[in-house]
Amino acid sequence: MGLTGIQIFKLLPKTNCKECGVPTCLAFAMNLASGKADLDACPYVSDEAREQLAEASAPPIRPVKIGYGARKVGIGGETVLFRHEKTFYGPPGFAAVLTTDMDDDVIDTKLRKWHTFNYERVGLMLRPELVAIKDVDGNADRFAQVAKKVYDDSDFGCILMSDSPDVLKAGVSVSDGKNPLIYAATADTIDALIELAKEAKCPLALKAESVEDLMPLSQKAVSAGLKELVLDTGARSIKQLFEDQICIRRAALLKQNRDLGFPTITFPCEMAPDLDTETLIASMLVAKYGGMMVLSDFEGENIFPLLLERLNVYTDPQRPMTVTPGIYEINNPGPDSPVLVTTNFSLTYFIVSGEIESSRVPSYLVIVDAEGLSVMTAWAAGKFAGDYVGGYIKKCGIADKTSHKNIIIPGYAAAISGDMEEELPDWKVMVGPREAAHLPKYLKEWKSE
Ligand code: SF4
């Protein structure tokens, strides 16, 4: 259970020194309880109180990190039931399975293929992050061999899956600090796996037959000092899995049930006859609280839509995605190259810059800060007005790069051309096409005036 403001207040120094930025310790306690303050803002909390207070300021679903490097996954950390209330923080990880009875050639081929699934969207690199290595016969040497191969030949993080603590120990022994998830402690193996997770400082998955049965396992792991846990309710039917995900999220957020305040792991690969159906199940789980989805394989047509869905669900709905305002050079422009201007909404930038790039016409693209709004919205909201855009053109330095004074504005913002020309009397404002798709033709025919 999280602490109330008054309970937190009792643990603070009560000197009202104001160094935390609020007038009293009580005000700071209230802010801490509601997640609006950071405990580090008070320099005078004792170590003992700090430990208890860290609990209070932890998100209801604890964050858990798995893997390393560019493919490291940070799941959990959630504070709201619905994205529109604030935002979701920990995008779920996607894993595909390798089994220990697969030939090395098959494993090599799969790893090579999975490595090709990298997609750049709105300036972000989207890719799957995890490989689930599944022990099928209790052979610890083979398990360690496959885990080592994955670590040596790829940068995927690992989920180490076995019923045997000895086999898991062999997998962990070759992980070399690369932070695998140990899957999974059950009522029979929890003692041994708590020790292993503590020793290796790795996150631990807990598996039971129901949500209720998970609670004693997580109590035991937490009281042994583990904080990074992942929950598997054992459900392998869509209806039960869906219910369990919601039950866990609601219990953690609405009832402050700390025993269930951890992200989940799910197995569409054990619930469907083919990868397409697995993808549909995983898609439901992206929207409804899945922490990790283990699939039987990655194929481009399956993983790409899942990565895009995840990107959409896990972006902050209150903050538009933006690019930095400034001058972007595309296709090595020179003094005679056309100059285009648009807004700093990421999607607008990437669509427009993509079309310019594909036209192969060397061009300058000037990005104006329109608070992350698209052209039409920004214009309607007065964030892409002629005098404002003209003012930015004057000060951004584009005039020093070009031998002409022509600027191309988006067709949808044609109405600002008059005000722009007033602001930029030396410039000729040209109205470009409305749709970015028509830019290549326009640029190929463009001539300065
Ligand atoms: Fe109280 Fe600490 Fe804030 Fe000072 S810095 S007012 S002691 S909470």
Side-chain angles (χ1 to χ4, degrees), residues 12-20 22-25 28 41-44:
L12 292 176
K14 304 187 197 69
T15 58
N16 298 334
C17 72
K18 304 184 178 58
E19 283 188 41
C20 56
V22 291
T24 62
C25 293
F28 183 68
C42 173
Y44 304 111

Side-chain angles (χ1 to χ4, degrees), residues 28-181:
F28 183 68
M30 293 303 173
N31 285 348
L32 205 57
S34 60
K36 291 182 195 146
D38 186 346
L39 183 55
D40 290 339
C42 173
Y44 304 111
V45 188
S46 69
D47 287 348
E48 192 189 332
R50 183 172 291 277
E51 199 165 313
Q52 290 182 55
L53 291 171
E55 243 338 83
S57 53
I61 304 282
R62 279 189 179 275
V64 176
K65 292 199 166 41
I66 298 155
Y68 64 102
R71 291 187 199 259
K72 187 172 179 178
V73 200
I75 58 175
E78 306 305 343
T79 58
V80 291
L81 273 180
F82 303 106
R83 176 181 179 265
H84 64 262
E85 293 176 87
K86 196 172 184 191
T87 185
F88 290 160
Y89 291 100
F94 295 111
V97 175
L98 293 177
T99 53
T100 50
D101 59 351
M102 285 175 177
D103 289 339
D104 281 357
D105 288 352
V106 174
I107 292 175
D108 287 340
T109 307
K110 281 184 179 278
L111 287 176
R112 268 201 303 277
K113 180 180 74 176
W114 295 347
H115 261 127
T116 63
F117 299 138
N118 293 289
Y119 308 95
E120 198 187 337
R121 282 293 180 281
V122 290
L124 301 170
M125 189 56 79
L126 312 183
R127 55 190 154 212
E129 300 88 2
L130 298 164
V131 168
I133 302 169
K134 188 172 179 183
D135 161 42
V136 293
D137 55 10
N139 182 335
D141 291 341
R142 177 61 184 158
F143 191 72
Q145 220 176 41
V146 176
K148 186 158 179 1
K149 186 172 212 13
V150 173
Y151 282 128
D152 288 350
D153 299 350
S154 81
D155 60 350
F156 284 103
C158 287
I159 302 171
L160 302 175
M161 299 177 63
S162 175
D163 296 334
S164 157
D166 290 337
V167 171
L168 289 169
K169 197 170 183 179
V172 168
S173 72
V174 298
S175 67
D176 196 21
K178 290 179 176 167
N179 199 32
L181 172 69

